[in-house]
Amino acid sequence: MDFKSYEEFWPFYLSQHSKSSTRAWHFVGTSFVFVFILLTVFTLNFWLLLLAPVTAYAFAWISHFFIEGNKPATFGHPVWSLRADFRMYRLILFGQLQKELDKNPELRISAK
């Protein structure tokens, strides 16, 4: 799909994460990014940084293929997908995802 801007892409990204379990797997995977960054800082073992994207993408892609049943948006829009993943993470973390989903009523997605 062609998108002219990130803000145009964002509702599509949300639609590709319609199931709460998909979003939960993403949240866990993205959390591991921060875990590996902290481990790298504390141990000064920079090889651990390689595990951050591998782990995050593993959780995300498993959720897309086996739960959501779609192709990850990363394949077509890698930069916007990464940005959107961190945005979704922040919204989930601060309990604001439902408010965001309500802004896009055509999606008919519940945060639960």
Side-chain angles (χ1 to χ4, degrees), residues 22-74:
T22 301
R23 295 189 300 269
W25 278 73
H26 273 261
F27 189 86
V28 170
T30 303
S31 294
F32 272 110
V33 169
F34 298 113
V35 168
F36 286 119
I37 290 171
L38 288 173
L39 283 172
T40 299
V41 169
F42 289 120
T43 66
L44 297 177
N45 181 354
F46 292 95
W47 289 104
L48 290 171
L49 284 179
L50 295 176
L51 294 174
V54 170
T55 304
Y57 282 120
F59 274 86
W61 292 355
I62 287 169
S63 71
H64 281 285
F65 293 126
F66 297 107
I67 297 170
E68 196 73 40
N70 62 17
K71 184 175 83 170
T74 303

Side-chain angles (χ1 to χ4, degrees), residues 91-103:
L91 291 170
I92 292 169
L93 185 64
F94 293 109
Q96 299 174 335
L97 182 62
Q98 188 60 55
K99 182 179 174 184
E100 185 67 23
L101 295 172
D102 290 344
K103 290 181 189 177

